[in-house]
Amino acid sequence: MDFETLVRLRKSVRQYEDKKPVPSLIEKCIEAARLAPSACNSQPWSFIVVEDRDLVQKVAEQCVPPVGSMNKFVRTAPVIVVQVMEKTNIQSSIGSMLTDRDYNHIDTGLAMGHFCLQAAALGLGTCIIGYFNESKIKELLGIPKNRRIGLLCTLGYEKGGQKEGTKKRKPLESMLFYNRYKEDENK
Ligand SMILES: Cc1cc2nc3c(=O)[nH]c(=O)nc-3n(C[C@H](O)[C@H](O)[C@H](O)COP(=O)(O)O)c2cc1C
């Protein structure tokens, strides 16, 4: 599969088959995340693969807000990957301070991007989850108090088979400029 096809194929999958991917496939996705770029090569991440059925349900519960139906689908995923933000290196922390930019969050997001693209290439579906009760999930998984969770990501086989979705995106011309920023008078 060429890269353009893969990029179009990857989408957020919110309904899964009741079938767990084998560890070697899960590990290929983690490997792709491991190879992601990071500021000063600090690699400020680790990953917990939650695949125990009861534990998946408990983590999934912590992704649903008190009102509304957001993230209820997480319960259907056979696997949830929880990304822990690890200590960064001194160069990256100084860089973050000097530029007023949180490189750790940028790095962890990039790693999750790699994870999702690799999963799609292997025929697996993913959905990055940014809404969750961090302290409850830390408790459930034994993550130390001095660590933060980056992102969560569901992983499994899309219900009914992998299919390309429709992409709702802003038009290219609204976000692409050559040489100089151009303000949109309609914004
Ligand atoms: C940082 C981040 C947090 C996200 N959090 C959630 C979430 O909590 N629940 C959810 O259903 N989708 C979540 N998404 C998925 C986005 O809604 C999705 O990527 C976007 O709508 C584009 O659709 P696509 O992934 O199918 O191309 C998140 C995506 C990112 C990058």
Side-chain angles (χ1 to χ4, degrees), residues 14-132:
R14 297 189 176 90
Q15 261 196 314
Y16 293 91
E17 301 279 356
D18 184 17
K19 178 187 170 194
K20 214 186 274 185
V22 293
S24 61
L25 290 185
I26 301 173
E27 282 163 30
K28 274 193 177 179
C29 301
I30 303 286
E31 173 66 359
R34 188 179 77 87
L35 297 179
S38 58
C40 306
N41 202 19
S42 66
Q43 306 162 64
W45 51 58
S46 59
F47 301 89
I48 304 173
V49 176
V50 180
E51 42 79 51
D52 174 271
R53 231 172 226 272
D54 291 344
L55 199 52
V56 166
Q57 292 309 308
K58 286 181 183 151
V59 171
E61 234 173 81
Q62 299 308 327
C63 298
V64 181
V67 279
S69 60
M70 192 172 81
N71 289 346
K72 280 199 173 147
F73 76 90
V74 176
R75 294 176 186 146
T76 71
V79 172
I80 303 173
V81 170
V82 176
Q83 182 188 46
V84 180
M85 294 178 78
E86 297 296 342
K87 283 197 180 125
T88 184
N89 60 24
I90 185 79
Q91 296 95 321
S92 180
S93 330
I94 293 172
S96 280
M97 232 161 54
L98 293 178
T99 60
D100 188 22
R101 219 164 272 282
D102 186 344
Y103 289 142
N104 282 354
H105 275 106
I106 297 169
D107 294 341
T108 47
L110 268 168
M112 266 313 186
H114 273 213
F115 179 94
C116 294
L117 285 168
Q118 177 64 83
L122 295 169
L124 295 168
T126 54
C127 185
I128 294 176
I129 304 296
Y131 181 93
F132 50 85

Side-chain angles (χ1 to χ4, degrees), residues 1-10 117 120-123 162:
M1 189 186 312
D2 66 33
F3 187 69
E4 193 184 335
T5 308
L6 175 61
V7 167
R8 289 186 186 281
L9 182 64
R10 194 238 28 105
L117 285 168
L122 295 169
Q162 187 180 36

Side-chain angles (χ1 to χ4, degrees), residues 132-140 143 149:
F132 50 85
N133 185 325
E134 185 174 6
S135 56
K136 290 269 170 57
I137 294 177
K138 279 168 71 170
E139 232 173 270
L140 281 169
I143 300 169
I149 294 178

